[in-house]
């Protein structure tokens, strides 16, 4: 029987020229500033794929949690940015630093979230929203002049997670600014600015007078859809604003004697609820709040982290000063400063990693 000679097999595209396969590979590179840029230098096809908006959305959705690029701190007349990444991902300080104006002394840093930074000037009766990535600035007038009020505030992305949005790619998304004010023996107040409408909401009040004031040393914490601020002059009181229901209330925090504005921070607990971290060298105590079916709040000590085992210190080392100087909600990371006699040791604690990084006192991550 004669055998029929077959022709050569049909040529197929090499794996790295198959856009579907290449997209799956690039999707899994580390979510660092230089990753896609360096990949785009390999070939025109890689550059076209990495720059496509559809791929960028997939990339953000795949990684979900963006890296912490760095921290902001107010130093004199400048908002100074300090990168927390190593080369080639380290961002130059001047790239994100800012001088809001000649009257910088009248601007105070309230915090940053979802890629934006918020300032307040009670002298100018205005807020400044700054996007360090694209350089956009928006000055928003405070609608009322309220003497003797102590203000706190927060900027949040207005695109909700229920729309499939992943925070970290919020630069083109609308945002909201929440401004809260406290005055001794007066109800606390809050109102919300929307970048979509360019308007402020009606004032919201607590039902009872608030006997504490916003602690300006504590940036607020966002847990689910609720913003939390510490109150000083009130025994561990917490002011909370619900973004969905637009309600403002004062609740009690845990009552250990070692809570103060330097060593404590409101955090998102491991179970997704609100918690409190209290750092006292050499341990970190983590409290969580439980709510009964009757709406009664109870604070429980969830865990104690023995600090010297994590950063390889011994009990014989004596700290002169320790402080929690920052907290990243998205990365679940606390930034802790320990000051010794001859050196300063900086530490970032998270559930999964330990990093040595320098931070300033009034700082927030972006």
């Amino acid at each position: 029987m004669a055998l029929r000679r077959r022709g050569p097999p049909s040529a197929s595209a090499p794996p790295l020229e198959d856009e579907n396969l290449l997209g799956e590979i690039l999707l899994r590179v580390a979510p660092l500033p230089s990753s896609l840029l360096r990949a785009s230098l390999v070939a025109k096809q890689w550059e076209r794929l990495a720059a496509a908006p559809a791929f960028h959305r997939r990339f953000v959705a795949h990684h979900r949690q963006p890296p912490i690029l760095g921290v902001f701190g107010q130093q004199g007349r400048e908002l100074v940015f300090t990168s927390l990444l190593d080369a080639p991902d380290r961002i130059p300080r001047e790239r994100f630093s800012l001088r809001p104006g000649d009257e910088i002394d009248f601007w105070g840093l309230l915090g940053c979230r979802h890629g934006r930074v918020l300032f307040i000037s009670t002298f100018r009766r205005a807020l400044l929203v700054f996007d360090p990535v694209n350089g956009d600035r928006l000055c928003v007038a405070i609608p009322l002049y309220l003497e003797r009020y102590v203000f706190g505030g927060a900027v949040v992305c207005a695109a909700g997670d229920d729309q499939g949005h992943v925070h970290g790619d919020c630069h083109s998304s609308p945002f909201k600014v929440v401004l809260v004010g406290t005055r001794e023996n007066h109800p606390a107040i809050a109102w919300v600015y929307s970048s979509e409408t360019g308007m402020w909401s009606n004032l919201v009040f607590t039902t009872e007078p608030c006997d504490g004031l916003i602690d300006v040393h504590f940036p607020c914490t966002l847990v689910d859809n609720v913003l939390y601020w510490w109150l000083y002059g009130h025994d561990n009181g917490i002011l909370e604003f619900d973004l969905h229901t637009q309600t403002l209330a004062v609740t009690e925090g845990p009552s250990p004697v070692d809570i103060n504005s330097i060593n404590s921070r409101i955090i998102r607990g491991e179970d997704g609820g609100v918690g409190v971290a209290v750092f006292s060298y050499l341990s970190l105590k983590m409290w969580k709040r439980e709510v009964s079916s009757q709406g009664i709040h109870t604070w429980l000590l969830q865990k104690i982290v023995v600090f010297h085992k994590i950063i390889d210190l011994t009990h014989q080392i004596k700290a002169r000063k320790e402080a929690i100087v920052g907290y990243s909600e998205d990365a679940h990371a606390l930034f802790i400063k320990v000051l010794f006699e001859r050196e300063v040791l900086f530490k970032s604690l998270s559930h999964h990693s330990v990093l040595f990084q320098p931070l300033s006192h009034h700082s927030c991550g972006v």
Side-chain angles (χ1 to χ4, degrees), residues 225-243:
N225 293 296
V226 182
L227 292 161
Y228 298 89
W229 289 265
W230 279 110
L231 296 172
Y232 71 87
H234 183 291
D235 292 337
N236 299 324
I238 295 174
L239 182 67
E240 51 187 71
F241 180 78
D242 192 308
L243 290 162

Side-chain angles (χ1 to χ4, degrees), residues 178 181 280 286:
V178 179
S280 179
M286 303 181 72

Side-chain angles (χ1 to χ4, degrees), residues 115-151:
R116 292 183 174 93
V117 189
L118 180 66
F119 298 90
I120 186 172
S121 172
T122 53
F123 176 80
R124 293 188 175 195
R125 294 171 54 190
L127 297 165
L128 178 67
V129 181
F130 171 53
D131 186 330
V133 173
N134 58 29
D136 288 349
R137 307 184 195 184
L138 178 66
C139 193
V140 180
I142 298 174
L144 296 174
Y145 181 63
L146 301 169
E147 289 186 280
R148 290 177 294 197
Y149 272 79
V150 178
F151 289 97

Side-chain angles (χ1 to χ4, degrees), residues 29 40 59 91 132 140 173 190 211 281 353:
V29 302
S40 67
F59 185 81
I91 298 172
V140 180
S173 301
D211 60 356
Y281 192 82
S353 62

Side-chain angles (χ1 to χ4, degrees), residues 105-365:
D105 291 337
F106 298 112
W107 291 95
L109 175 62
L110 289 181
C112 54
R113 181 176 292 102
H114 302 157
R116 292 183 174 93
V117 189
L118 180 66
F119 298 90
I120 186 172
S121 172
T122 53
F123 176 80
R124 293 188 175 195
R125 294 171 54 190
L127 297 165
L128 178 67
V129 181
F130 171 53
D131 186 330
V133 173
N134 58 29
D136 288 349
R137 307 184 195 184
L138 178 66
C139 193
V140 180
I142 298 174
L144 296 174
Y145 181 63
L146 301 169
E147 289 186 280
R148 290 177 294 197
Y149 272 79
V150 178
F151 289 97
V155 57
V156 297
C157 177
D161 294 332
D162 56 346
Q163 304 171 26
H165 176 79
V166 178
H167 294 306
D169 190 31
C170 307
H171 310 290
S172 60
S173 301
F175 62 87
K176 294 180 180 180
V177 173
V178 179
L179 189 63
V180 294
T182 53
R183 181 180 173 185
E184 194 171 356
N185 299 321
H186 285 69
I189 59 173
W191 61 111
V192 182
Y193 173 84
S194 169
S195 69
E196 292 181 280
T197 64
M199 298 178 63
W200 287 90
S201 68
N202 294 326
L203 273 174
V204 178
F205 300 86
T206 55
T207 56
E208 300 291 337
C210 179
D211 60 356
L213 300 176
I214 289 285
D215 193 331
V216 295
H217 297 292
F218 274 104
C220 74
T221 300
L222 175 66
V223 179
D224 289 334
N225 293 296
V226 182
L227 292 161
Y228 298 89
W229 289 265
W230 279 110
L231 296 172
Y232 71 87
H234 183 291
D235 292 337
N236 299 324
I238 295 174
L239 182 67
E240 51 187 71
F241 180 78
D242 192 308
L243 290 162
H244 276 182
T245 62
Q246 300 280 291
T247 54
L248 188 66
V250 176
T251 60
E252 298 296 325
S255 55
V257 295
D258 54 351
I259 281 186
N260 59 60
S261 63
I262 299 299
N263 73 337
S264 310
R265 191 59 54 100
I266 301 172
I267 63 172
R268 179 157 60 91
E270 294 180 349
D271 58 356
V274 64
V276 170
V278 181
F279 177 46
S280 179
Y281 192 82
L282 294 159
S283 67
L284 181 72
K285 297 178 181 178
M286 303 181 72
W287 298 76
K288 68 173 183 177
R289 187 175 73 178
E290 292 190 347
V291 183
S292 69
S293 56
Q294 291 78 31
I296 299 174
H297 296 169
T298 304
W299 287 91
L300 301 175
L301 182 59
Q302 187 175 25
K303 68 164 61 174
I304 299 177
V305 179
V306 180
F307 197 68
H308 79 279
K309 293 182 179 179
I310 297 177
I311 62 174
D312 194 26
L313 296 177
T314 65
H315 285 288
Q316 285 71 34
I317 298 178
K318 301 297 184 181
R320 286 177 52 202
K321 193 174 184 181
E322 64 268 4
I324 296 178
V325 295
Y327 172 61
S328 171
E329 300 152 352
D330 293 329
H332 308 294
L334 286 167
F335 296 95
I336 294 174
K337 179 176 72 174
V338 182
L339 180 63
F340 298 99
E341 290 292 338
R342 295 184 179 178
E343 63 176 344
V344 179
L345 173 67
F346 296 96
K347 202 74 174 179
S348 167
L349 277 180
S350 72
H351 297 314
H352 305 293
S353 62
V354 176
L355 305 172
F356 286 90
Q357 302 295 354
L359 296 176
S360 58
H361 180 62
H362 296 289
S363 59
C364 55

